[in-house]
Amino acid sequence: MLVVAALGGNALLQRGEPLTADNQRANVRAASAALADVVRAGHRLVVTHGNGPQVGLLALQGAAYKPDEAFPLDVLGAETGGMIGYMIEQELENALDHAHPVATLLTQVVVDADDPAFQAPTKFIGPVYARDEAETRAAAAGWTIAQDGDKWRRVVPSPKPQDIPDLRVLRLLLDQGVIVICTGGGGIPVLRLPDGSMTGIEAVIDKDAASALLARRLGADALLLLTDVDAAYRDFGTDHAAPIRRLTPEAARALDLPEGSMGPKMAAAADFADGGGLAGIGRLKDALALLDGAAGTQVRVSPSTPEKGDSQ
C-alpha cells in the first residue's frame, strides 16, 4: 500500500519541552522507529509533518531585525521544512539501516488570496505564554493572539490548500522507490498569479488538510494522522469520554470536536476517506496497528461501518 503518514507536533516536541535541537532529535528518532515498521511491513511511505513551534521560533528570531528585514512566513516555512526534513530523513535512514533511499522535498502548496482565513487568523505558531506576556508581545509586534488551553499563543492565517504543483516531482521520486518527506508544515503557501507564475504569501497551512489533499492526489491507499492520543474520543475530557473506533466520513463530519486539536484531523480523515481509502487517527507508536485496524480511530466508506461511529 501507499501510505501517507502525517506526524503531529508530538513527533518533534512534547508539550512543555524546550524547543532545542536535542529534544527534537530525540523525538524524531522515536518517530522514525515507528515509521520504519511501516516500511518493513512492505508499504511505500510518504511522510508529512507539522512546524508550528519551529516556524514560531524563527519568527521570534526574526523580530531581532528591523521590520522591513524580517523574513515572511512562506520563507520561514521553507526553512523549517528543510530543518525538520533533514532530521526525519537522517533518523529514518538510520532506523532502516540505510536499506531504502529517503529524500526531503520542499513542497509549494497553492492557496486562494480571497480565502476568508486571511481575515480571521486561527493557526497557532510559536511558544505558549501567560496571557499578560502574550498581550504585551502582541502589542509590540502587531500579532493576533488566541487562547491555547490554559496559555496563549500567536495565531496566523491558515488558508485551505488548493493545489500541489510539485506533485510531478513527488511521483518521480515514488516511482524510483524513494521514501519522500514533503509538505512540511502544510507546505510552503504560494499564490498562482494570472500569468501562471507563483509567489509566496504570509500564512501557515494546516498540516492535516494539506496531507489529505496530498494523499488524494497521489492516489494513496491510507492516510495516517499520527498524534499523542490513542484515538478520537466522544465527550473528551469528561467522565463519559469513550474512544471512537470506526465511523464513516459522513459520521466523522457530524462530530463536534475541538477546532484547535482533533477537529482538523477528523475533517482531513473524512475528506480522504471519501475517495475509498482508509484514514486512521491514533498514536505514533501504533502506526502499523492503525493500518491493520487494530488501533486508533478508523474512518472509511464501508457497509460494515456504523453510520454513527462505534465506541467499542
Side-chain angles (χ1 to χ4, degrees):
M1 295 199 308
L2 175 59
V3 178
V4 174
L7 304 182
N10 66 296
L12 305 167
L13 196 71
Q14 302 292 329
R15 181 173 280 266
E17 279 186 333
L19 187 57
T20 66
D22 286 345
N23 284 338
Q24 292 180 82
R25 173 74 70 177
N27 287 318
V28 167
R29 185 173 297 122
S32 297
L35 295 175
D37 288 340
V38 174
V39 177
R40 282 192 286 264
H43 302 298
R44 294 186 296 153
L45 181 65
V46 174
V47 181
T48 69
H49 59 81
N51 71 342
Q54 291 79 13
V55 77
L57 176 65
L58 291 182
L60 283 176
Q61 292 175 347
Y65 294 89
K66 296 177 182 178
D68 61 346
E69 295 177 349
F71 285 95
L73 284 173
D74 60 304
V75 175
L76 300 186
E79 291 181 9
T80 60
M83 175 180 69
I84 298 167
Y86 155 66
M87 288 189 178
I88 297 173
E89 180 178 327
Q90 190 174 75
E91 293 300 335
L92 190 52
E93 287 174 337
N94 290 339
L96 291 167
D97 296 323
H98 300 270
H100 299 267
V102 184
T104 301
L105 178 69
L106 297 182
T107 316
Q108 299 174 93
V109 175
V110 176
V111 299
D112 185 347
D114 295 324
D115 192 305
F118 287 107
Q119 306 305 317
T122 59
K123 183 68 173 177
F124 290 114
I125 67 168
V128 297
Y129 303 100
R131 183 170 184 169
D132 288 348
E133 183 178 0
E135 290 177 343
T136 299
R137 288 179 177 272
W143 292 355
T144 300
I145 59 173
Q147 191 166 5
D148 182 13
D150 60 349
K151 300 292 186 178
W152 289 72
R153 294 176 73 188
R154 181 186 177 188
V155 288
V156 300
S158 182
K160 183 177 179 180
Q162 302 287 334
D163 192 20
I164 303 174
D166 297 313
L167 274 174
R168 185 170 64 174
V169 180
L170 284 168
R171 291 192 178 104
L172 287 172
L173 291 169
L174 289 173
D175 287 346
Q176 295 301 313
V178 178
I179 298 169
V180 184
I181 303 157
C182 63
T183 326
I188 303 164
V190 298
L191 299 178
R192 184 173 280 124
L193 302 179
D195 64 0
S197 63
M198 289 186 291
T199 187
I201 189 168
E202 283 266 275
V204 173
I205 303 168
D206 180 74
K207 172 262 303 175
D208 296 317
S211 298
L213 176 63
L214 173 71
R216 291 198 309 271
R217 296 290 175 86
L218 288 176
D221 301 288
L223 170 65
L224 302 183
L225 301 166
L226 303 171
T227 181
D228 56 355
V229 296
D230 62 325
Y233 276 72
R234 297 184 188 282
D235 303 317
F236 185 75
T238 73
D239 293 338
H240 307 292
I244 307 167
R245 295 303 182 192
R246 295 175 295 276
L247 70 169
T248 62
E250 294 80 6
R253 293 190 178 93
L255 293 172
D256 183 16
L257 297 172
E259 282 301 315
S261 55
M262 192 56 70
K265 287 180 173 54
M266 193 62 76
D271 286 347
F272 173 73
D274 274 337
L278 163 68
I281 301 173
R283 289 180 298 200
L284 178 60
K285 68 179 184 179
D286 294 333
L288 190 55
L290 275 167
L291 287 176
D292 296 334
T297 297
Q298 313 284 318
V299 183
R300 70 189 314 168
V301 176
S302 171
S304 63
T305 303
E307 282 294 322
K308 296 185 180 299
D310 181 355
S311 298
Q312 301 301 315

